[in-house]
Amino acid sequence: MPATDATAVSAADDAVDVLLDAGRPPADILVLTSGEPHPWAQHELSFGEDSYWRQQDEGDDVFYAQATAERVRKRLAVVLAVNGGTDEESAAALPAAMAHATELLVVCGDPERLRTLL
């Protein structure tokens, strides 16, 4: 999905809505960011790391994480918001997102920048 660094998270949220509206269970969806953490991840992290990672372990809902986080588990559908970060961080986010997606990958970002990084 074409998006700027500033709109990539919003585009990712829209992609999640489309997936949910299509009947995909929330537990199937992982949202990754290349730059700043998603606002929902920031909110959940405010309760502590243990609580945050427990949500992933429980697997009941959409999970939000940094693309390069080491503890992230695979999910059927991954939505990657290329929302900034250095070129190296954004370039690393792409293979990380592909490695976590077992069925579907949606990338939200600037197509020209992504072509350059690839």
Side-chain angles (χ1 to χ4, degrees):
M1 295 179 67
T4 65
D5 286 0
T7 63
V9 169
S10 178
D13 290 341
D14 291 345
V16 169
D17 289 342
V18 168
L19 292 170
L20 294 171
D21 289 346
R24 191 160 301 259
D28 286 0
I29 303 169
L30 170 64
V31 178
L32 300 173
T33 56
S34 67
E36 288 292 314
H38 188 282
W40 189 251
Q42 292 177 25
H43 169 76
E44 292 301 324
L45 280 164
S46 72
F47 299 106
E49 291 269 333
D50 291 340
S51 173
Y52 171 74
W53 289 108
R54 190 175 321 112
Q55 289 182 0
Q56 176 184 236
D57 297 340
E58 291 169 355
D60 295 330
D61 206 351
V62 177
F63 189 71
Y64 299 83
Q66 292 291 114
T68 55
E70 293 181 18
R71 292 176 61 177
V72 176
R73 293 188 183 154
K74 292 182 179 189
R75 294 229 177 160
L76 292 175
V78 172
V79 179
L80 171 62
V82 183
N83 64 323
T86 65
D87 283 349
E88 293 79 20
E89 290 167 333
S90 295
L94 294 168
M98 287 190 302
H100 287 96
T102 61
E103 189 175 292
L104 174 69
L105 173 62
V106 178
V107 179
C108 304
D110 179 345
E112 290 302 316
R113 183 173 185 222
L114 294 170
R115 277 193 267 294
T116 301
L117 294 174
L118 293 174

